[in-house]
Amino acid sequence: MRISHKRNIQRKLHKQKPLLTNTTSAVNNTLKIETVIEKAEIADVVASKPIVASKSVVALTPKQQQVLDIVVNHTDGLNPKGIGLEAGQEEAKAASWATGALKKLTEEGLVERIQLAGNKVLYKAL
């Protein structure tokens, strides 16, 4: 790459940088305003209603919801290939199809990952 071309690219990148800082500061200011408004509303709600413990609501994709339903139906646990086959996937693609959704569900704490001997894994609903 020519040095002059590289210099021009760097100059263009530096021109854009101040724009990004202005927009992020504007977003931060609006977030501060929103949090102040929300705190005032929450104070009124807390005073009038009793405190009830509840789980946080997690937005799941349709695929994740389908995998969660399959895992909940099998209380003894199920491996990723079994989950994929339950969902109607081909045998060759079943495990890889379910793995992405299972990873997200495990991170959210909806599904427990149980490591068996070697590379065998079961998933159980919590």
Side-chain angles (χ1 to χ4, degrees), residues 11-114:
R11 186 175 21 164
K12 287 179 183 178
L13 291 174
H14 288 297
K15 284 183 181 179
Q16 292 177 356
K17 197 169 189 178
L19 295 175
L20 293 176
T21 57
N22 289 339
T23 57
T24 56
S25 64
V27 169
N28 289 338
N29 290 340
T30 57
L31 289 177
K32 289 177 186 177
I33 293 169
E34 289 176 5
T35 55
V36 170
I37 292 170
E38 289 176 7
K39 287 180 183 177
E41 293 173 1
I42 291 173
D44 295 336
V45 173
V46 170
S48 63
K49 294 183 181 179
I51 298 174
V52 178
S54 64
K55 287 188 174 180
S56 62
V57 177
V58 179
L60 298 176
T61 64
K63 179 178 175 180
Q64 292 168 349
Q65 186 62 47
Q66 183 181 11
V67 170
L68 181 62
D69 292 339
I70 292 170
V71 172
V72 168
N73 290 338
H74 295 279
T75 57
D76 56 336
L78 198 59
N79 61 356
K81 185 174 183 176
I83 295 169
L85 291 175
E86 278 283 321
Q89 296 296 315
E90 297 175 15
E91 191 169 340
K93 299 178 185 178
S96 62
W97 179 86
T99 303
L102 287 168
K103 184 176 181 182
K104 173 72 174 177
L105 292 172
T106 304
E107 289 174 0
E108 295 295 331
L110 299 172
V111 174
E112 178 184 12
R113 183 177 192 266
I114 301 169

